[in-house]
Amino acid sequence: MAYLDRPRLHFSGRFQATPSTINNFVANYLGPLTRRGWNPEGGAMWRLVGCRVTGTDYRDAPPADGTDPVSEARVLDAADRVSAKLVDLDPDQQMASEIWGLVVRLVDSQGEPLLAGCFRPASFVDLWGRCPSANGMASLGAFYQSTLEDLEWPGLDRSAFLRQLRRRSAGRLSIKFNVDGYRSAGRLSIKFNVDGYQPDPAADDFSYGRVVGTIGPAFADEPRHFVAGRTMRSSTTFAPAKVDIERSSLIVDLGNSLPTVAPGDALAPAAEGYAVAVLLDGQWRPLAPLDHTRAEFYESTAAVVEAPLDDAGLAAVAAGHLGVLDGSSVFLREAASRINVRADQLVFRLNPGDEATVELVATSAGQPPGSPLTLSLALGGRLGVREPADALSFPSTVTTDAGGRARFTLRAASPGGVRAGQGVDGQVYGVAWALPGGQAPTPPNPWEFLSVLVWDDYPAVDRPTWYEHVQPILEQYGRLYPVMARIVDLSDYHSVLQHIDLMALSFDLPVGDPNHMPVTRDLSRAKHELLRRWFDAPLLGRRPPPVARRAGDPEGAPAADAEQLDELTRAKSGRDNPRA
């Protein structure tokens, strides 16, 4: 049941995101910079700001004295490393931004740690115009859903809530890792809504927005990035729901489905008030009113609504269609088929020769379909069909198993430099799926497709040199992300030499580390390996034929081998260079 299950906690606060906007424009990849966007100096940072726990829903009895350190906890990101990174996929697919390197921590009112976990990278989904009174980015809302892994539970002995949460979650076996804490190999489910983002550099709250979310249990057989349950739809947004049989309740998440009166502000009141309902035998039966205008309703519940059900209610929900009513008007409703299909991972980066397994999960009224479904697969989605089509291969159909799961393999080949003339490496593809007969839910969810970046092939080079191999890569990277110039001029040979040890260290970090370079994860494996090889032996090579002088060209005679490079490096950088 993911984060919808009890025990769950809700949190609210702000987030800050500072993406670079220069790389949004293909024209900038070969330079000069013709368009800079609203945040050209962005450093790709993503962090939590001023977040706190705003509500707790226990599964078992809460503490007898009514106190638990989690109820007053702050929600923080990492304490011992730089902020997480917001990572785009491709200039032709900017609607798949992922968060990498995020750590989520709970600390009590005295700053003592209670819980920590690593956020599995995930992209935002279900972007929609949440605030009708605003325009542009400020009007939008979306959400991230993933899991917290490599968990640490230092507050386990002090918190009844955490003990319930760990018992309910996957990976219940744990080991003592120090004198006052526990580590678990399991995971938790986290989902947070983001809205009210401020893209105006002149505003006091530039680059900030609102975040409201939920943390709950996760189970081993559940998808990490979506709720494998039921989905209610409008023309613009979607809401997941699950039935908790043990507690005889229906749980609906409206956190990214209700409009606001202003960006990041209160929920807009409904004309006649919202109510969760079920359509049965042609009649809507209200199940629970939604007190969405109550002060701090959204912040304290993340708009996760739980409606108790008696036996008749459980039977009605099992047989009928779910919806949310505004008086007699239907605001959200389940598709007629009650069938949902979604992929657990939506974003892939593949090198030529790579393979990746995709898992689709199908449900019918929140349960595995009664019989196998044969789903058709095709290039397309929001990206359309892109050339060359044969650089990404996969089967044309796939059939679900008894549990509603269907797995297939993506296979990548080199796109052959189709965008090389624009300075862009590889090609980005969309892969969409359809139900039998091509039927689709009404309205369809435009986010139900895969975004796949396939890089071009790049020849292996035993002795890469600055002029021929390295400068073209680093110079473009420095142009697209000028914030790097505060540390190193990536177009300048000597500046790179002065920082070569630090750069080598960042290239060696795991890809999930926020200090991994490139921070945007937009470098193919072949180019990454070439740069790493050059860091060990930074040969200069021969200067190209005389043309207009380029930034980064060192003065003096060209050097062709390591001995000449060593002499030049000592003269220019003022230090020994054992790597030469």
Side-chain angles (χ1 to χ4, degrees), residues 408-455:
F408 66 94
T409 300
L410 298 171
R411 294 181 172 86
S414 176
V418 67
R419 293 191 293 173
Q422 299 173 300
V424 182
D425 190 356
Q427 180 64 283
V428 62
Y429 298 90
V431 179
W433 54 88
L435 296 174
Q439 63 176 315
T442 304
N445 188 336
W447 296 93
E448 292 178 348
F449 77 100
L450 309 179
S451 295
V452 186
L453 173 61
V454 180
W455 279 297

Side-chain angles (χ1 to χ4, degrees), residues 62-274:
D65 60 3
T67 62
D68 192 302
V70 167
S71 64
E72 296 182 348
R74 290 179 292 154
V75 183
L76 309 174
D77 41 32
D80 56 355
R81 63 185 190 183
V82 300
S83 64
K85 297 297 185 291
L86 187 64
V87 177
D88 287 337
L89 180 66
D90 188 89
D92 287 339
Q93 169 51 319
Q94 298 176 33
M95 297 292 104
S97 300
E98 297 173 293
I99 298 174
W100 285 73
L102 177 64
V103 171
V104 177
R105 299 183 297 133
L106 299 186
V107 301
D108 66 17
S109 58
Q110 305 303 312
E112 293 298 319
L114 296 169
L115 172 68
C118 297
F119 180 87
R120 188 182 185 92
S123 64
F124 73 81
V125 289
D126 288 9
L127 184 73
W128 69 297
R130 185 170 190 179
C131 181
S133 65
N135 297 311
M137 293 180 62
S139 70
L140 302 177
F143 76 83
Y144 290 88
Q145 182 179 335
S146 191
T147 52
L148 300 179
E149 303 178 358
D150 192 20
L151 300 170
E152 297 179 4
W153 303 82
L156 200 63
D157 295 333
R158 297 185 288 129
S159 169
F161 179 88
L162 292 182
R163 290 193 293 272
Q164 291 184 25
L165 183 60
R166 190 174 72 90
R167 284 197 303 269
R168 188 68 178 164
S169 299
R172 296 165 191 170
L173 296 177
S174 63
I175 59 172
K176 199 75 172 285
F177 80 97
N178 60 27
V179 296
D180 61 356
Y182 298 86
R183 173 167 291 171
S184 169
R187 59 179 185 256
L188 298 175
S189 178
I190 181 171
K191 183 254 189 177
F192 49 86
N193 313 304
V194 290
D195 72 337
Y197 185 74
Q198 177 54 267
D200 183 359
D204 292 339
D205 58 347
F206 170 59
S207 75
Y208 287 85
R210 176 171 63 174
V211 57
V212 177
T214 304
I215 297 174
F219 306 107
D221 59 345
E222 286 186 327
R224 286 179 165 90
H225 302 298
F226 72 99
V227 176
R230 301 172 71 164
T231 300
M232 294 175 289
R233 305 163 182 264
S234 73
S235 60
T236 55
T237 187
F238 309 86
K242 290 280 284 189
V243 174
D244 187 337
I245 297 296
E246 292 181 26
R247 294 181 56 84
S248 298
S249 65
L250 172 68
I251 308 168
V252 179
D253 177 9
L254 299 171
N256 188 48
S257 303
L258 301 178
T260 62
V261 296
D265 204 343
L267 300 179
E272 300 183 53
Y274 295 120

Side-chain angles (χ1 to χ4, degrees), residues 345-395:
Q345 182 176 340
L346 296 174
V347 179
F348 295 85
R349 293 170 173 81
L350 301 179
N351 294 276
D354 282 354
E355 296 184 354
T357 299
V358 179
E359 181 177 70
L360 297 175
V361 182
T363 58
S364 176
Q367 301 298 320
S371 58
L373 294 176
T374 298
L375 307 170
S376 59
L377 305 171
L379 290 175
R382 294 170 63 100
L383 300 180
V385 177
R386 305 178 69 84
E387 298 296 337
D390 59 359
L392 183 67
S393 60
F394 49 86

